[in-house]
Amino acid sequence: MLLRTDPIRVAVLALGLAFLLILAAYGFAAIAYRPSLGGVVAAAAALAIAGTGLLYAWRLEAGGVVD
């Protein structure tokens, strides 16, 4: 199945899953312990960077595999 898929899509899926696991670990740590202001700012910045990456990838001229 992986041979028929686009390698870029597989890589993006793996990186997205890793990012979600990192945010889930931060969320667990924020519940278990009191988070610092710097940690909250870093998590918000990481979320903003991921969001801008998604917006950039979904623009009309992004190219890639076209159906």
Side-chain angles (χ1 to χ4, degrees), residues 3-65:
L3 295 176
R4 295 185 309 172
T5 58
D6 186 23
I8 298 296
R9 289 184 186 206
V10 174
V12 167
L13 181 66
L15 287 174
L17 182 62
F19 188 76
L20 285 177
L21 288 174
I22 289 170
L23 283 181
Y26 180 79
F28 175 74
I31 291 171
Y33 304 102
R34 182 175 168 88
S36 66
L37 179 62
V40 171
V41 170
L47 193 59
I49 290 169
T52 56
L54 284 174
L55 289 175
Y56 181 76
W58 283 342
R59 63 188 167 87
L60 286 177
E61 304 88 23
V65 178

